[in-house]
Amino acid sequence: MQRLRRPPRVDRLQTEQRRHRARIGRWVYLLLLLGLVVWLLNIFFGDRVYLSAPGMVTRDQVAVSVSYSGRVTALHVREGDRVEAGQRLATLESLPVQRDIANLSAQWAEWRRRRAALAAERYTIRRMLPVAREQASTIAELLGLREKAYEEGLSTHLTLHELVTADYRSTLQATELEAREQGIAREIDTLDDIVTRFERSLDGVRARFDGGEVYARHDGIITDVHVKAGGHTGQAGDLMTMVVGEPYVLAYIPPGALYSVSEGDRVRVSYGFERLDGTVESIRPVSVRLPEEFQRAFQPRQRSQIVRVNLTNGEIPPAFTAVQVSASGGWWSRGGSNP
């Protein structure tokens, strides 16, 4: 006898199991396709629907430069060094500046010499002028006495011609001395003005050159060094760049988005696995090109509005770190505000 097998149940047929797995595969495929579509829409249009703007941590940049060309004899800092105001950054030598200082010093000394010579002449005239005036007055008195004696019938050993000539010469000498003193006074005033201008020019050149030493004017961090020891500064005179002040974030928001951002809005700044809180300080009324690192591939160069965000807490990342700025209340928040 042969043993009869139990027929399979209808709800457990093999064909039904294959259909069930196919249905699950279709749903997985649809979900993956939907996720891809959502991901692409988020890449190309997400930043116009909700606040998700690229940004960069930065500080105010200050260019360290000199107003003359010269050779760098020594560099006292490197990129990344923290410096304090008044700290020496570099030492330079400049033959053109040194030549200008020498020429200005020689001209300044020459004008001072001329001024000193005129001052000495003026001193002599001031000492001689009272004598000349007294002599002219005495001769005038003698001339008066000569005329009075002549009227009275008396005779003197001085002739009228001699007295008149002496009176003329003494008066002329006193007048010339007075005129010369006035002229010297005006010349001295002019020379004083010239000497003062030369002193200011010389002091200005010396202050700008400062012996070839370049000092930091602010506390900050050296970010770029444009010269090397032994190299020349060139006509521009740029030496290095440093960042100063407190760090902040410059975010780039596309114009025409469905959300709005206002000053004072609280936002969230993300980089890596870190999250920081921030506040929108200002919205610049200008649209600029995005930096190269924020440009999207296969798209025209984009322009975005600049928003400055102040960081309020957390560990602040290094300068020039790329970050993402989003609404503080979540991706669905409109305007990024979180009162």
Side-chain angles (χ1 to χ4, degrees):
M1 294 180 62
Q2 293 184 355
R3 185 177 180 180
L4 298 176
R5 294 182 180 180
R6 182 179 297 179
R9 295 175 55 180
V10 178
D11 58 346
R12 294 184 179 180
L13 293 178
Q14 189 68 22
T15 55
E16 292 294 331
Q17 293 179 4
R18 288 199 295 268
R19 290 177 182 176
H20 182 66
R21 287 197 296 268
R23 188 181 299 114
I24 293 176
R26 283 197 299 269
W27 278 109
V28 172
Y29 172 75
L30 291 176
L31 289 176
L32 290 177
L33 183 60
L34 179 61
L36 178 62
V37 172
V38 172
W39 179 68
L40 292 176
L41 290 175
N42 178 57
I43 289 179
F44 291 99
F45 305 103
D47 57 355
R48 298 184 179 275
V49 178
Y50 59 89
L51 179 58
S52 179
M56 180 180 293
V57 178
T58 185
R59 296 184 179 185
D60 294 330
Q61 294 190 8
V62 176
V64 180
S65 60
V66 292
S67 58
Y68 54 87
S69 60
R71 188 177 70 89
V72 180
T73 59
L75 285 173
H76 307 291
V77 293
R78 296 178 297 178
E79 293 183 0
D81 288 352
R82 291 184 176 272
V83 297
E84 299 179 353
Q87 182 176 339
R88 187 171 59 171
L89 304 179
T91 304
L92 289 79
E93 65 176 10
S94 176
L95 293 179
V97 175
Q98 294 173 354
R99 185 167 52 249
D100 292 342
I101 292 177
N103 292 336
L104 287 173
S105 300
Q107 296 181 41
W108 174 71
E110 175 62 20
W111 287 113
R112 284 182 57 87
R113 186 194 65 77
R114 295 183 183 181
R115 200 263 185 202
L118 288 176
E121 184 179 356
R122 184 183 184 183
Y123 174 79
T124 303
I125 291 175
R126 284 183 172 181
R127 296 296 300 269
M128 294 297 299
L129 188 57
V131 177
R133 289 173 178 171
E134 183 178 359
Q135 182 180 4
S137 177
T138 301
I139 294 176
E141 292 178 0
L142 290 176
L143 182 59
L145 292 175
R146 172 66 178 78
E147 293 177 352
K148 184 177 181 181
Y150 180 78
E151 292 175 357
E152 294 177 356
L154 300 176
S155 62
T156 63
H157 65 280
L158 295 176
T159 64
L160 180 61
H161 176 72
E162 292 175 345
L163 289 176
V164 170
T165 301
D167 179 62
Y168 171 77
R169 290 178 177 175
S170 60
T171 303
L172 179 62
Q173 183 180 12
T175 304
E176 288 178 347
L177 289 175
E178 291 176 354
R180 181 55 181 163
E181 183 190 15
Q182 295 176 1
I184 289 177
R186 289 191 294 268
E187 291 183 26
I188 288 178
D189 291 340
T190 302
L191 289 178
D192 286 339
D193 183 61
I194 294 175
V195 169
T196 301
R197 292 183 180 181
F198 269 94
E199 285 180 350
R200 291 176 180 175
S201 299
L202 186 58
D203 291 342
V205 173
R206 285 174 174 171
R208 288 192 298 270
F209 185 57
D210 198 12
E213 302 294 343
V214 180
Y215 298 93
R217 297 184 178 181
H218 312 274
D219 297 341
I221 302 174
I222 303 298
T223 57
D224 295 296
V225 179
H226 309 305
V227 295
K228 296 181 179 180
H232 290 268
T233 61
Q235 295 297 328
D238 293 334
L239 300 178
M240 57 192 70
T241 305
M242 59 184 298
V243 292
V244 300
E246 295 297 328
Y248 57 90
V249 172
L250 284 182
Y252 301 90
I253 297 179
L258 297 180
Y259 56 86
S260 61
V261 178
S262 304
E263 295 181 2
D265 287 348
R266 290 179 2 195
V267 295
R268 180 162 296 170
V269 179
S270 306
Y271 68 100
F273 296 100
E274 299 294 332
R275 301 291 184 271
L276 301 176
D277 293 331
T279 304
V280 176
E281 178 186 306
S282 62
I283 301 174
R284 310 278 177 86
V286 61
S287 181
V288 299
R289 287 186 176 183
L290 283 174
E292 292 291 342
E293 56 268 26
F294 297 142
Q295 290 288 343
R296 291 175 180 170
F298 310 109
Q299 287 192 3
R301 292 184 64 89
Q302 298 177 333
R303 303 183 72 90
S304 297
Q305 191 173 16
I306 298 179
V307 175
R308 174 167 175 163
V309 178
N310 284 343
L311 302 174
T312 56
N313 64 350
E315 183 178 354
I316 299 177
F320 308 117
T321 300
V323 297
Q324 196 74 16
V325 178
S326 58
S328 180
W331 66 269
W332 56 85
S333 297
R334 295 174 60 86
S337 60
N338 187 19

